């Protein structure tokens, strides 16, 4: 296995289109991008990328690594994430979270799973907390978690405007955001609060209040599921207009869409048309439960989220007419910007060698920090993943 790899003749999107290039990788890093690169070294692994595009490894900022669900009783708990699912779908960096069930799902298990995924080759981070306020933590406080637990980059998913939330007061939410900010400053991390925004009438009013009435800047407020419905998305676009970032839950591969459904694809298109695509990210809600409730909020069934939703949504967005380099921003450089992930989200010198090679959206090869996790469509055997 060589530390020096040369990917030849790919149509390179970093995410901007950079032309037909060779990419030299040394160890975990992208080291040189050029044409007809000559390497006079023994033992260079050359991979022919002719006829393929290369994009930065996809970043998924909202994934239930250890499974979620349970909202319809024990039988509705969802299974944990498989590394092979991430590789198959070009996802190389992920942020894990707990959801509704903060009782039987633990931060310790989330941490252990994030370490396992990292040792398998992926880059992983986690949010401390779960739906509930006050949030569950490792160390007793949000600030200590951010400062002392390396994998913790923020708090989430904190539920607001949802019949499953803990009905948090504005003051409770404000304190969580304030602690995430200062904890993030001390730790040199983004310190975002990833808000689970339900379909409730107050939407993201708390977030607008924080921006308007406190010194806390937008960057710590990271609401997800913002494509849940058109009204919520429109408020999200206003939030983005004011300088915020919003995350949309991708369309699950093969999801049956009704004409009337508002989806992340519609959201990305509308954001692009308003010049706001740089403020948009998408996530999969992978392994989370995608429950269905009737008009009285009674549980009527569920699907399980797939990390494949990120790639699928990008493909559908490009099919809707959004230029390829613009569309892929929402799952690469934009997400790296929100989460302040150094070395992630771009194909550029000195960045981590997280690269996906595709032929017409079929993933052909995936490198994670310079290691091939997939070649010619074949996923490397992931230890202990049965
Ligand atoms: C969303 C995760 C929802 C879990 O609103 O929040 O339920 O803990 O596994 N899923 N609660 C799904 C919609 C965005 C479709 C979660 C779930
Ligand atoms: Zn959620």
């Amino acid at each position: 296995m060589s530390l020096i790899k040369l990917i030849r003749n790919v149509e390179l999107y970093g995410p901007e289109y950079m032309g037909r290039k060779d990419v030299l990788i040394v160890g975990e890093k992208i080291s040189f991008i050029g044409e007809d690169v000559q390497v006079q070294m023994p033992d260079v692994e050359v991979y022919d990328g002719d006829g393929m595009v290369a994009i930065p490894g996809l970043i998924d900022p909202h994934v239930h690594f250890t499974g979620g669900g349970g909202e319809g009783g024990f039988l509705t708990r969802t299974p944990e994430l498989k590394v092979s699912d991430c590789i198959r779908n070009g996802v190389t960096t992920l942020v894990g979270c707990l959801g509704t069930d903060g009782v039987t799902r633990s931060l310790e298990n989330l941490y252990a799973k994030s370490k396992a995924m990292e040792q398998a080759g992926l880059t992983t981070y986690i949010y401390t907390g779960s739906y509930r306020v006050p949030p569950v933590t490792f160390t007793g406080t949000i600030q200590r978690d951010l400062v002392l637990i390396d994998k913790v980059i923020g708090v989430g998913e904190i539920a607001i405007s949802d019949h499953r939330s803990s009905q948090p007061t504005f003051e409770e939410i404000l304190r969580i955001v304030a602690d995430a900010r200062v904890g993030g400053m001390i730790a040199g991390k983004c310190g975002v609060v990833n808000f689970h925004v339900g379909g409730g009438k107050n939407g993201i009013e708390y977030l607008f209040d924080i921006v308007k009435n406190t010194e806390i800047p937008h960057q710590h407020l990271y609401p997800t599921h913002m494509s849940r419905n058109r009204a919520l998305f429109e408020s999200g676009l206003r939030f983005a207009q004011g300088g915020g970032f919003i995350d949309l839950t991708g369309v699950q591969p093969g999801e049956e869409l009704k004409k009337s459904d508002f989806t992340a694809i519609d959201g990305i298109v509308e954001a692009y048309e308003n010049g706001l695509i740089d403020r948009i990210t998408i996530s999969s809600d992978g392994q989370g439960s995608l429950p269905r409730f009737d008009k009285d909020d009674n549980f009527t069934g569920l699907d399980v989220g797939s990390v494949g939703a990120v790639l699928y949504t990008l493909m559908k967005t490009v099919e809707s007419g959004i230029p390829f380099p613009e569309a892929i921003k929402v799952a690469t450089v934009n997400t790296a910007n929100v989460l302040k992930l150094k070395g992630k989200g771009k194909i550029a010198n000195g960045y981590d060698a997280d690269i996906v090679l595709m032929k017409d959206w079929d993933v052909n090869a995936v490198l994670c920090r310079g290691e091939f996790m997939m070649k010619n469509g074949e996923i490397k055997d992931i230890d202990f993943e049965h």
Side-chain angles (χ1 to χ4, degrees), residues 78-188:
T78 60
E80 70 178 77
L81 179 65
K82 297 196 111 188
V83 171
S84 52
D85 276 355
C86 304
I87 301 306
R88 181 173 306 109
N89 291 287
V91 175
T92 57
T93 297
L94 306 93
V95 185
C97 65
L98 300 184
T100 312
D101 179 359
V103 176
T104 72
R105 304 297 188 176
S106 74
L107 288 174
E108 291 78 5
N109 191 16
L110 182 67
Y111 174 82
K113 179 71 177 179
S114 75
K115 291 296 285 184
M117 291 164 63
E118 176 190 322
Q119 288 166 17
L122 297 169
T123 300
T124 56
Y125 304 93
I126 59 178
Y127 297 125
T128 190
S130 67
Y131 262 37
R132 195 178 185 286
V133 171
V136 60
T137 63
F138 288 95
T139 65
T141 75
I142 287 170
Q143 288 200 13
R144 289 172 60 83
D145 278 12
L146 273 161
V147 173
L148 303 176
I149 315 278
D150 286 353
K151 285 268 182 208
V152 171
I153 59 168
V155 191
E157 50 172 332
I158 300 289
I160 54 174
S161 305
D162 195 300
H163 61 97
R164 298 160 291 177
S165 82
S166 50
Q167 304 301 324
T169 64
F170 174 73
E171 288 67 25
E172 286 176 310
I173 292 296
L174 181 56
R175 179 58 44 80
I176 288 169
V177 174
D179 286 347
R181 173 171 171 76
V182 176
M185 288 164 76
I186 297 167

Side-chain angles (χ1 to χ4, degrees), residues 8 20 25 39 52 58 101 107 110 123 128 168 173 193 228 278 301 304 312 345 359 362 377:
R8 281 215 182 285
R20 185 178 169 80
I25 292 154
V39 186
M52 289 185 249
L58 301 178
D101 179 359
L107 288 174
L110 182 67
T123 300
T128 190
I173 292 296
V193 179
R228 188 184 292 274
D278 291 344
V304 181
Y312 184 77
K359 193 168 175 53
D362 288 333

Side-chain angles (χ1 to χ4, degrees), residues 23 168 207 215 236 289 358:
V23 182
L207 279 53
E215 305 76 23
S289 72
M358 300 191 301

Side-chain angles (χ1 to χ4, degrees), residues 31-99:
S31 302
F32 184 76
I33 297 169
E35 274 107 21
D36 200 14
V37 173
Q38 302 300 322
V39 186
Q40 310 302 339
M41 290 278 289
D43 188 21
V44 176
E45 181 175 2
V46 179
Y47 195 86
D48 181 8
D50 191 23
M52 289 185 249
V53 303
I55 63 172
L58 301 178
I59 306 174
D60 192 342
H62 188 99
V63 185
H64 296 262
F65 291 176
T66 57
E71 296 169 10
F74 295 117
L75 211 52
T76 63
R77 292 158 59 83
T78 60
E80 70 178 77
L81 179 65
K82 297 196 111 188
V83 171
S84 52
D85 276 355
C86 304
I87 301 306
R88 181 173 306 109
N89 291 287
V91 175
T92 57
T93 297
L94 306 93
V95 185
C97 65
L98 300 184

Side-chain angles (χ1 to χ4, degrees), residues 219-330:
Q219 73 230 39
H220 300 283
L221 307 169
Y222 189 32
T224 188
H225 310 322
M226 290 304 287
S227 48
R228 188 184 292 274
N229 60 59
R230 171 169 283 287
L232 186 60
F233 175 74
E234 302 295 358
S235 70
L237 219 44
R238 281 201 317 281
F239 186 71
Q241 197 101 42
F245 280 101
I246 59 172
D247 185 64
L248 316 181
T249 302
V251 176
Q252 302 300 328
E255 188 175 338
E256 296 295 313
L257 295 176
K258 297 192 295 297
K259 204 83 200 78
S260 58
D261 286 346
F262 184 81
T263 70
I265 300 154
D266 304 310
I268 298 167
V269 170
E270 192 160 330
Y272 176 76
E273 287 165 354
N274 285 277
L276 291 167
I277 196 158
D278 291 344
R279 323 275 337 152
I280 304 289
T281 63
I282 61 172
S283 58
S284 67
D285 213 3
Q287 301 320 115
S289 72
L290 314 180
R292 295 187 295 276
F293 298 99
D294 66 19
K295 58 180 178 23
D296 303 319
D297 281 337
N298 298 312
F299 181 85
T300 58
L302 69 80
D303 296 315
V304 181
S306 157
V307 289
V310 175
L311 187 64
Y312 184 77
T313 301
L314 294 181
M315 177 177 71
K316 292 294 176 189
T317 299
V318 171
E319 282 176 11
S320 302
I322 301 300
F324 183 85
E326 289 299 308
I328 62 174
K329 283 178 175 178
V330 305

